Amino acid sequence: MKKSIASAPGKLILFGEHAVVYKKPAISIAVDIRAKITITPSKSKTIFACDDLNIKSVMDFEKKEFHMLSGQEGIVEYIFEVLKLKHDYLNPINIDLALDLPIGAGLGSSAAITVALIAALDNYYNKELNLDEIAKTAHNVELNVQGSASPLDTATSAYGGLIFLDENSKVTKLSASFGDIIIGYASQRGNTRQMVAKVKKLKEHYPVLINSLLDAIGNITLQAKEIFDKEKLTKNDFQVIADLLNINQGLLDAIGVNTLELSNMIYTSRKTGAIGSKLTGAGGGGSIIALCPGKRKEVLKELQITENALEANFSKNGVIIHN
Ligand code: PMV
C-alpha cells in the first residue's frame, strides 16, 4: 500500500513579536517538536484523523465542506484548505496527524500541520519537494483561514533553523544554530487577535511612546541578527542574545502583553539558571522561552512545579519526508 509521511517543526519567536505587525523585523527558530502527517489511500472518502486531539472529520469536496465526527474543527479548517489546493479528489485518502506540539500556545502548530500536509501530499503524488513553494502555499493557506498572518510561522516550519523576516516581509534563513532552551506554557492560552488589538489601542492613545518602544524592539532584532549571521556563536555571543531576550521582555511588558503567569515563569527560569527569558508569541497567556545553557533540567523541573514546560531542541531541519 502506498504511504507518504512528512513532519514539520514548531516555531518560537525569539525577537520582534508585535513589532512585526508594524513592519519591524523579527527572528524565529524552529524547534524539534513536530506535527507528523501520514497519508494512505482510502477505500471510500477522504478522512482526517488526529488521535492525540480526538479529532475525526470527513471531507465532502462536492459540497465544499467537511463534517466533524468527533472533536473541534479548528485545525480541520487548515487541512481542508490545503486539500482544496492540492488534493486529487478522485483518489480518496486517509490523513493521520500525530502532534507533539501543544495547540494554541504560540508554538506554530497550525503552520507545522499545514506545512507537513502540503509536503506529504507532494510526496504522495511523487512531486519533488520545493521548500519555497511549500512555504508560500502554507502562508496562503494561513491567510485564507485566518484573514491575516505573517509568513514567519510557515517559513520557519518549512525551512527550519533560524529565520529572519525583514521590514519588507522578506524571509532569510540565518546560518547560526541556537542553544539549549526550555519552553514554559501557561494553562491560560493567549488570543493573538485580541493581543494585537490591545497593542493597536495603546499605540493610538500613546503614539509617540509606543512607536518608540516598537522601534526599540526592531533595533533589538537587528542587533541579534548581526550575531546570528555568524556560523558559530561563542559563549559571549549567547550572553548578548540572553541580554537582548531580557530587554525585549521588558518592552513586551511595557506594551501590555505580559501576564502574571508569564512573569512568574520568566523570573522562576532566571532564578533557576536561565541567562535570558521572555514571553514568545502574542502574550496574554501562551508561552515563554528560556535560554539556559547547562541548566535545562533544573529550569524544567522548577517550571513544572507550577506550569507546563518542555525541553526543546533547535531544529536545523524544516519539513522532512520520512519514507
Ligand atoms: O501567537 P503567535 O505565536 O502566532 O504570535 C503572534 C505574533 C504577533 O506578532 C503578535 C502577531 C503576528 O501576526 O505576527
Side-chain angles (χ1 to χ4, degrees), residues 11 13 17-18 20-21 106 150 153 192 196 281-282:
K11 72 93 198 13
I13 298 179
E17 51 271 269
H18 287 288
V20 74
V21 174
S150 90
D153 287 23
T192 302
V196 168

Side-chain angles (χ1 to χ4, degrees), residues 11-13 16-22 26 104-110 142 146 148-153 165 190-193 195-196 199 252 257 280-283 286:
K11 72 93 198 13
L12 291 168
I13 298 179
E17 51 271 269
H18 287 288
V20 74
V21 174
Y22 300 96
L107 303 182
S109 55
S110 62
E142 286 218 321
Q146 298 167 196
S148 73
S150 90
L152 199 56
D153 287 23
L165 184 78
N191 180 319
T192 302
R193 206 170 297 192
M195 297 319 290
V196 168
V199 174
L252 286 166
V257 299
T280 177

Side-chain angles (χ1 to χ4, degrees), residues 115-178:
V115 166
L117 178 57
I118 295 169
L121 280 168
D122 282 349
N123 181 51
Y124 189 74
Y125 297 128
N126 298 318
K127 209 180 139 211
E128 212 167 296
L129 287 205
N130 175 332
L131 290 185
D132 293 342
E133 202 253 338
I134 292 174
K136 195 165 164 236
T137 308
H139 182 221
N140 285 334
V141 167
E142 286 218 321
L143 284 175
N144 290 347
V145 175
Q146 298 167 196
S148 73
S150 90
L152 199 56
D153 287 23
T154 39
T156 311
S157 254
Y159 300 110
L162 264 155
I163 299 292
F164 176 70
L165 184 78
D166 76 10
E167 52 277 27
N168 299 312
S169 295
K170 188 172 164 282
V171 164
T172 317
K173 184 167 174 170
L174 305 177
S175 47
S177 288
F178 201 66

